[in-house]
Amino acid sequence: MNLKQAKELVRGRLSDKRYEHTLNVRKMAVKLAKRYGVDEDKAALAALLHDSAKEISKDEMRAIMRAHPELAEGGEERPTPVWHGICAAILARTEWGVEDEAVLSAIACHTAGKPGMSRLDKIVYLADMSSKERDWPGVNKLRKLELKDLDLAMLAALRQTNDFVLSQDKPLDPMSKAAYDEIKAEVDARAAKAG
Ligand SMILES: [Fe+2]
Ligand SMILES: [Fe+2]
């Protein structure tokens, strides 16, 4: 699937508002990809498809994960907000002909993150949080930070998301916590090395 096809596909699957968000995420993801020397087309494709399963019902998402348990990453046991990324990656792989593992990974983990995130994973995660229409307190700070240091930006973004989830008394996805702990350890080790 090329970028034009992906754009048409999501145009047909998403509300105007979410389509607009998707185009903004693409723009931000491409900007970050350029900054960090990551393949811009991969960033654009992952961004275009990241929310492609967001407007289907939970029952439909559950059915998609049950039909492909080997691709569902235990999704059913995880908090429902992460389902749409997992389902989008499954649909992209099984129905839309996306074969690039890096792109599929970035789509699947865009809501919660995961341990061992690639630069592309981080870029799509951050682009989703800092796209043009986002206006949560602190978003401008994140926009600056993500152009300076991908890992420090990920820490800030994961902390923000995790705190928000916990403040709402919602369950925290274990992947999200694992992603935070891993990047925190890396950043700390880097700081220790730099003295
Ligand atoms: Fe999403
Ligand atoms: Fe999104």
Side-chain angles (χ1 to χ4, degrees):
M1 163 173 283
N2 63 32
L3 293 174
K4 186 165 176 278
Q5 290 165 328
K7 194 175 166 189
E8 274 162 21
L9 178 100
V10 292
R11 176 60 287 198
R13 294 178 65 90
L14 300 178
S15 64
D16 289 352
K17 203 173 162 207
R18 187 157 284 116
Y19 180 65
E20 190 74 37
H21 160 68
T22 294
L23 296 184
N24 289 341
V25 174
R26 178 184 66 175
K27 205 166 176 192
M28 190 58 97
V30 168
K31 184 176 174 179
L32 292 171
K34 265 194 192 123
R35 162 70 180 82
Y36 292 104
V38 167
D39 187 306
E40 290 167 37
D41 283 350
K42 290 187 190 203
L45 184 59
L48 281 173
L49 295 177
H50 84 283
D51 274 345
S52 58
K54 186 121 179 180
E55 294 181 8
I56 59 178
S57 69
K58 288 210 174 75
D59 285 344
E60 231 175 303
M61 291 191 221
R62 195 177 287 111
I64 291 167
M65 292 190 285
R66 285 190 182 171
H68 302 279
E70 75 289 2
L71 301 174
E73 305 173 10
E76 249 193 279
E77 278 73 54
R78 295 173 59 191
T80 53
V82 311
W83 289 9
H84 72 280
I86 295 169
C87 288
I90 293 175
L91 292 174
R93 185 197 293 269
T94 59
E95 295 194 17
W96 307 331
V98 178
E99 291 171 348
D100 191 312
E101 293 297 335
V103 170
L104 293 165
S105 165
I107 296 170
C109 77
H110 84 263
T111 311
K114 65 177 179 185
M117 289 175 87
S118 69
R119 276 190 301 172
L120 180 63
D121 293 335
K122 292 172 184 172
I123 282 170
V124 173
Y125 183 95
L126 289 167
D128 186 30
M129 275 191 82
S130 61
S131 53
K132 196 173 89 189
E133 85 292 349
R134 297 282 197 198
D135 59 359
W136 50 275
V139 68
N140 278 323
K141 230 173 136 185
L142 182 65
R143 287 184 185 124
K144 279 186 198 143
L145 188 56
E146 68 194 10
L147 287 170
K148 278 194 208 136
D149 190 309
L150 212 47
D151 286 325
L152 290 180
M154 276 306 296
L155 272 193
L158 282 163
R159 194 182 298 129
Q160 158 78 23
T161 312
N162 293 353
D163 287 354
F164 178 75
V165 170
L166 293 173
S167 77
Q168 298 218 318
D169 275 328
K170 300 241 169 78
L172 186 60
D173 186 275
M175 291 291 206
S176 214
K177 169 142 184 20
Y180 180 84
D181 291 345
E182 186 192 83
I183 298 172
K184 177 89 171 69
E186 280 167 16
V187 166
D188 288 349
R190 202 169 73 185
K193 224 180 192 173

